[in-house]
Amino acid sequence: MFKFAGKVLSLSAATLMVTSAISSAQSMDELVAAAKAEGQLTTIALPHDWCGYGDVIAGFKAKYPEITINELNPDAGSSDEVEAIKANKDNKGPQAPDVIDVGLSYGPQAKADGLIQPFKVSTWDSIPDSAKDAEGYWYGDYYGVLAFEVNKDLVKEAPKDWADLLKPEYANSVALAGDPRASNQAIQGVYAAGLSKGAAAGEAAGTAGLEFFKELNAKGNFVPVIGKSATLAQGQTPILITWDYNALSGRDTLNGNPPVDVIVPATGVVAGVYVQAISAYAPHPNAAKLWMEYLYSDEGQLGWLKGYCHPIRFNDMAKRGVIPQDLLDKLPPAAAYEAAVFPTLDEQGAAKEAITKNWDSVVGANVQ
């Protein structure tokens, strides 16, 4: 079990079996046939090294080779995904996304704006209630915590906590993995820094995070570049603030060149849930629904786990003994996650507004 929005979540294999039984083979066959007839699925903002998406996409293609996946702008942020739906409402061409994968706070807003449509996958009941919209407009897919990915060739002693990043030995070293005016990952990084300063959850932590990055920038430690494993390896961003699953995946990809440390900070450990949704204007709605069915199947969930993400159905799958031990062994020790907090939607929304609106005026670094 884990805590999310102040609640202890538990998952039930029994409810999963009931829901799966309701989803008849015939209806699934009909969905597969309809999706194959559409012949295409358009995704957006799914880099192959993010959360194991390369293998997840390959798995879907192998299972449904009749469906071509059109991948838009892999490096887009959550707000870019939402804007892509808005910009293509009347466009059924290849620039219109069928599905989005966005930070938790973007789901309710997209619903309120009429940009997404409801769909409940057959494993719906094993998704924790606190991580999904009751009507099926959006649903959590995976979660992780903010961590430091560190180039050990250039950084001899890795930072252990947020305050360490202010030390003079980290000059021109620290970067966010996104633009904090648009990227959920970067926004949560600023928020986590604020919590580490002892600020209250919500707007206060967002404001404190801005002050932290103002100081980090003034000291010359902040690098206004959207950091990736490539920029880390090249020495442009030797310390990268990123989700733990991206850091661990980057460590594996770099394979010792350079060697990488992945540090979960001692304080300000913020866990982030991402959510899936189908565009209300999806040109290929059946392919979109089939994609969701795949992502929320045991196979799809294990694909994310291989990419070091904790899939949203993790507890249910662990209870049923379907997670290979070798996958469990590759995850960071549980003790590093004991201090993790899952911000509520209200807390995220308040912090996001404070950070996105005031980054330019407070920090003044144009991250790009």
Side-chain angles (χ1 to χ4, degrees), residues 175-183 185-187 222 225-227 240-241 367:
L176 290 162
D179 180 350
R181 296 163 295 191
S183 161
Q185 181 175 206
I187 291 167
F222 183 62
V225 168
I226 295 177
L240 182 57
I241 299 166
V367 180

Side-chain angles (χ1 to χ4, degrees), residues 246-317:
N246 288 337
L248 292 162
S249 175
R251 179 197 64 188
D252 289 357
T253 299
L254 293 171
N255 196 26
N257 185 27
V260 168
D261 258 344
V262 178
I263 308 295
V264 176
T267 63
V269 185
V270 170
V273 175
Y274 277 72
V275 301
Q276 292 283 338
I278 299 174
S279 168
Y281 305 92
H284 315 100
N286 292 296
K289 292 173 183 177
L290 187 62
W291 171 248
M292 295 303 177
E293 287 287 0
Y294 179 76
L295 293 181
Y296 288 87
S297 68
D298 285 358
E299 181 181 348
Q301 297 274 291
L302 286 176
W304 279 327
L305 190 59
K306 290 174 184 175
Y308 297 115
C309 295
H310 280 71
I312 206 68
R313 295 182 51 242
F314 180 88
N315 289 344
D316 170 76
M317 293 169 64

Side-chain angles (χ1 to χ4, degrees), residues 148-155 159 169-175 221 223 228 231-241 258-261:
F148 307 147
E149 183 180 354
V150 181
N151 181 328
K152 293 175 68 174
D153 275 350
L154 299 177
V155 180
E169 57 260 42
Y170 301 135
N172 298 309
S173 296
V174 184
N221 289 15
V223 183
K228 305 174 186 177
T231 62
L232 179 135
Q234 293 158 6
Q236 188 178 14
T237 62
I239 301 173
L240 182 57
I241 299 166
V260 168
D261 258 344

Side-chain angles (χ1 to χ4, degrees), residues 30-121:
E30 290 172 351
L31 177 59
V32 170
K36 288 180 178 179
E38 290 171 349
Q40 183 171 305
L41 172 74
T42 298
T43 64
I44 184 171
L46 301 183
H48 285 205
D49 59 354
W50 172 288
C51 205
Y53 258 118
D55 287 343
V56 171
I57 291 169
F60 183 82
K61 286 180 176 178
K63 195 161 190 174
Y64 305 108
E66 302 86 352
I67 301 172
T68 300
I69 297 186
N70 171 37
E71 300 180 51
L72 301 175
N73 195 0
D75 295 324
S78 294
S79 63
D80 299 319
E81 298 179 64
V82 174
E83 288 304 315
I85 293 179
K86 291 179 180 178
N88 292 280
K89 284 182 177 181
D90 301 317
N91 173 22
K92 295 299 183 183
Q95 293 305 307
D98 291 305
V99 292
I100 55 174
D101 177 351
V102 293
L104 178 64
S105 61
Y106 288 86
Q109 187 60 55
K111 176 186 177 182
D113 292 344
L115 299 176
I116 52 180
Q117 61 177 283
F119 176 68
K120 294 185 178 182
V121 292

Side-chain angles (χ1 to χ4, degrees), residues 177-219:
D179 180 350
R181 296 163 295 191
S183 161
N184 178 67
Q185 181 175 206
I187 291 167
Q188 295 305 316
V190 177
Y191 181 72
L195 283 181
S196 76
K197 295 185 69 171
E203 182 182 0
T207 300
L210 288 172
E211 291 298 325
F212 176 88
F213 276 88
K214 178 183 180 179
E215 185 179 358
L216 194 70
N217 191 45
K219 287 179 177 291

